[in-house]
Amino acid sequence: MNGRMITAALALAGLAGAQSVEDTVARAQAKAASQKATTAANLADAATKADVEQNEKIQAVEGKVDGLNEDYLETKATVAALKKFKVGGFVQFQYAYAADTNLSGGFSQKQGAWSLRRARLKFTYDAGNGAQLVWQPNFIESKFETKDAYLQYTEQWFKAVSLRAGIQDIPFGYEIGNSSSGMELIERSQYENNSVFNGEKTLGILAGFNSPTFPYVNAKVGWFNGQTQQAVTGDWTATQDPKNIVGRVGVSFAFNDAGLSIDAGQSYFYDSKILTVDSLKENIKGRGYDTFGFVKGRLRNDVNTVISGEDLQLTYEIPMVGGFKLMTEYYQGKIIGVSGSNKLYTGAAATTADVRNTMGFYVAGVLNPINILPQIQLVYRFDYYDPNTDVSGSDIDALRGFSKTDIAYTVNTIGLNWFVNGNFKVSLFYDIKANETTGAPSLDGYAGDAKRTQAAGALKTGLYTAANNFSKNIDDNVLTLRGQVAF
Ligand SMILES: [Ca+2]
Ligand SMILES: [Ca+2]
């Protein structure tokens, strides 16, 4: 190749090269534009796709929300229905230690014993429209029993007047209706436990007034079967014409600035009964019991139990010390019972009805020392019960128809409650019991003494039982340790 040819070739090459550069640039630009367009298209596609996906997601979420809403409404309806239905309960388990092993009766062979005092469930259905249903069974070692089973309706205009029908608390005084799980003392008073109020329940209808807008006055009055076979056969129905009217009128005042509240009430119990008895024993003052005999099975119309009661509860926040509560209650009246008991006369189970005038009262104080021991509650009660006010001291003589059940008792109780937490309570209580004494040889603890005349009384025969020797204060104090779980 010569020089000219080389030059031409280079020129061609240069031209070709120039053409090629331009071309490349254009192509690159076109490609870039195309890529941009593609990217934009892709982005648009992606965006559309994303929109679609998002819409799908939103729809899915909406669907889920709708589903959840349905579930929620369903759950809400279920919860609202369940809210109307409440279950509560408690169990009390205890160890009671008797001070004297020579006692006959409750602790004859054992100085101490474990027992299941109460084990209850309480089912309440509150429809929210004034209608309510309550059922409370009690399970103890030896039996199952219904403590409450009633329906109640409260009018909805003022929510003040209610009607209750079924097995329910006797509407008398304060301690009877006070819940067994919430009481500061572990047991109610002697009068309550040894009279017609024992067990606290009755069967019938009750009208009540308790206004949320006017809380200063409350009242309740009921018509019940009264004296029935319940204690003997578990039958709550009355065997004869029931005329048992019971009620309480109460006042309630709270002085919040002074940290003081006062509740008080006047109660009345009337139970007239046509009893089928063979005889009636009535105490004639200064003479002892007289027995009036009847033809077996003859109806006697005019035996009635009449009891009146007064109760007062006062709570006061003592500055720097803590909460103090005072509770006192007085019972007095005529009771138709049987020999050895002022509990409900149970008709056919007994052949003689005993008429006694009775009296009892208690004064109790409770202190919650907030500043020192916030979980501790200190309790004291003075409790006096006279099962027969027409006789006392040495006049209580088996030869005149009396028995140890005519003896009056004073019980001083000291106790401590430890609220371990909101559900668990431990109680330690000591009952110091002092009986009235009698000089009658018939009640000096020797079996067969009842047959001895006082004139020939020097002779001591038969088996001696310390628990029946009422010539002295019997050694019968009891220490009780109790645990309670409630929910
Ligand atoms: Ca007496
Ligand atoms: Ca004693």
Side-chain angles (χ1 to χ4, degrees):
M1 199 179 278
N2 59 24
R4 268 182 81 173
M5 279 173 76
I6 290 166
T7 308
L10 284 172
L12 276 170
L15 196 64
Q19 269 179 349
S20 172
V21 167
E22 275 170 23
D23 207 26
T24 305
V25 169
R27 251 187 240 139
Q29 279 172 345
K31 197 180 173 187
S34 164
Q35 272 173 351
K36 246 184 181 171
T38 307
T39 308
N42 283 347
L43 281 172
D45 276 359
T48 310
K49 208 178 162 191
D51 275 356
V52 169
E53 274 175 13
Q54 204 166 8
N55 281 338
E56 278 172 3
K57 276 183 188 165
I58 286 169
Q59 277 168 6
V61 169
E62 276 175 354
K64 276 181 187 166
V65 168
D66 284 349
L68 281 175
N69 199 35
E70 269 171 38
D71 285 350
Y72 168 70
L73 289 174
E74 213 170 281
T75 309
K76 196 182 164 190
T78 310
V79 169
L82 281 174
K83 205 183 156 192
K84 296 174 178 176
F85 184 68
K86 291 193 189 82
V87 183
F90 67 95
V91 168
Q92 293 172 344
F93 192 68
Q94 69 183 30
Y95 188 82
Y97 180 83
D100 188 346
T101 50
N102 293 324
L103 291 176
S104 66
F107 297 98
S108 57
Q109 303 299 323
K110 51 198 176 187
Q111 190 150 19
W114 292 105
S115 64
L116 189 60
R117 182 63 184 89
R118 298 178 179 94
R120 293 186 191 171
L121 284 172
K122 185 174 185 180
F123 303 93
T124 306
Y125 183 78
D126 192 333
N129 55 11
Q132 202 185 48
L133 180 72
V134 171
W135 182 50
Q136 183 176 210
N138 184 37
F139 308 84
I140 50 175
E141 301 111 321
S142 53
K143 64 175 177 179
F144 161 85
E145 60 181 351
T146 291
K147 294 301 284 184
D148 284 294
Y150 62 81
L151 46 112
Q152 179 167 308
Y153 179 71
T154 307
E155 51 78 20
Q156 294 297 286
W157 297 285
F158 304 104
K159 296 186 167 67
V161 177
S162 58
L163 280 173
R164 181 185 285 187
I167 301 172
Q168 54 188 295
D169 286 326
I170 300 169
F172 189 102
Y174 173 71
E175 61 174 341
I176 294 167
N178 204 3
S179 78
S180 298
S181 60
M183 292 191 307
E184 292 89 351
L185 284 129
I186 56 174
E187 298 297 342
R188 293 178 179 82
S189 74
Q190 292 183 88
Y191 194 99
E192 203 274 350
N193 275 305
N194 291 287
S195 74
V196 296
F197 302 120
N198 177 260
E200 301 92 46
K201 304 297 174 182
T202 188
L203 176 69
I205 57 164
L206 176 88
F209 173 82
N210 203 337
S211 169
T213 50
F214 189 76
Y216 314 107
V217 177
N218 55 76
K220 50 191 173 182
V221 62
W223 176 25
F224 306 105
N225 282 348
Q227 292 167 327
T228 65
Q229 289 286 305
Q230 197 276 330
V232 178
T233 63
D235 180 8
W236 281 96
T237 57
T239 48
Q240 303 288 341
D241 180 25
K243 287 194 197 72
N244 181 204
I245 305 295
V246 191
R248 178 182 184 268
V249 177
V251 291
S252 181
F253 294 99
F255 307 93
N256 294 328
D257 293 343
L260 176 73
S261 79
I262 297 170
D263 282 90
Q266 172 71 49
S267 302
Y268 182 71
F269 182 102
Y270 173 79
D271 193 2
S272 173
K273 214 69 183 167
I274 301 167
L275 293 176
T276 310
V277 290
D278 294 346
S279 56
L280 188 76
K281 279 207 311 186
E282 220 157 336
N283 179 54
I284 310 298
K285 202 160 188 171
R287 216 172 76 193
Y289 272 120
D290 262 7
T291 303
F292 305 97
F294 308 115
V295 177
K296 193 175 173 63
R298 176 179 287 182
L299 300 182
R300 186 180 163 89
N301 213 345
D302 59 351
V303 275
N304 50 43
T305 292
V306 182
I307 305 166
S308 65
E310 292 79 36
D311 63 275
L312 174 82
Q313 304 84 48
L314 181 152
T315 61
Y316 179 58
E317 286 295 325
I318 304 172
M320 311 297 288
V321 177
F324 175 73
K325 183 179 180 184
L326 176 83
M327 297 174 281
T328 180
E329 194 154 2
Y330 178 81
Y331 299 90
Q332 72 89 27
K334 187 177 73 172
I335 290 182
I336 313 301
V338 293
S339 169
S341 174
N342 276 331
K343 292 178 184 176
L344 275 182
Y345 177 78
T346 49
T351 53
T352 303
D354 285 24
V355 184
R356 293 187 191 89
N357 288 309
T358 61
M359 187 271 272
F361 70 93
Y362 68 85
V363 182
V366 181
L367 185 68
N368 294 296
I370 42 169
N371 295 331
I372 317 158
L373 300 158
Q375 289 167 298
I376 297 294
Q377 188 174 64
L378 305 169
V379 186
Y380 167 75
R381 179 173 66 193
F382 177 88
D383 178 1
Y384 178 78
Y385 172 53
D386 186 348
N388 189 342
T389 56
D390 293 318
V391 66
S392 61
S394 295
D395 288 339
I396 302 173
D397 186 344
L399 298 179
R400 302 171 77 189
F402 299 107
S403 71
K404 62 180 180 180
T405 50
D406 294 292
I407 297 274
Y409 272 85
T410 299
V411 181
N412 279 279
T413 300
I414 48 172
L416 183 149
N417 293 313
W418 173 29
F419 296 89
V420 182
N421 58 40
N423 299 96
F424 184 38
K425 178 168 85 170
V426 176
S427 304
L428 184 66
F429 275 71
Y430 190 55
D431 290 321
I432 304 158
K433 303 182 182 182
N435 53 276
E436 174 182 21
T437 57
T438 170
S442 59
L443 288 166
D444 66 0
Y446 288 90
D449 279 3
K451 291 171 191 157
R452 268 171 35 212
T453 63
Q454 280 177 296
L459 195 66
K460 302 271 184 199
T461 55
L463 186 70
Y464 177 74
T465 308
N468 290 333
N469 183 4
F470 291 93
S471 69
K472 66 179 190 73
N473 182 6
I474 291 167
D475 199 3
D476 52 358
N477 299 347
V478 178
L479 182 71
T480 307
L481 176 66
R482 178 186 288 183
Q484 172 183 292
V485 171
F487 69 95

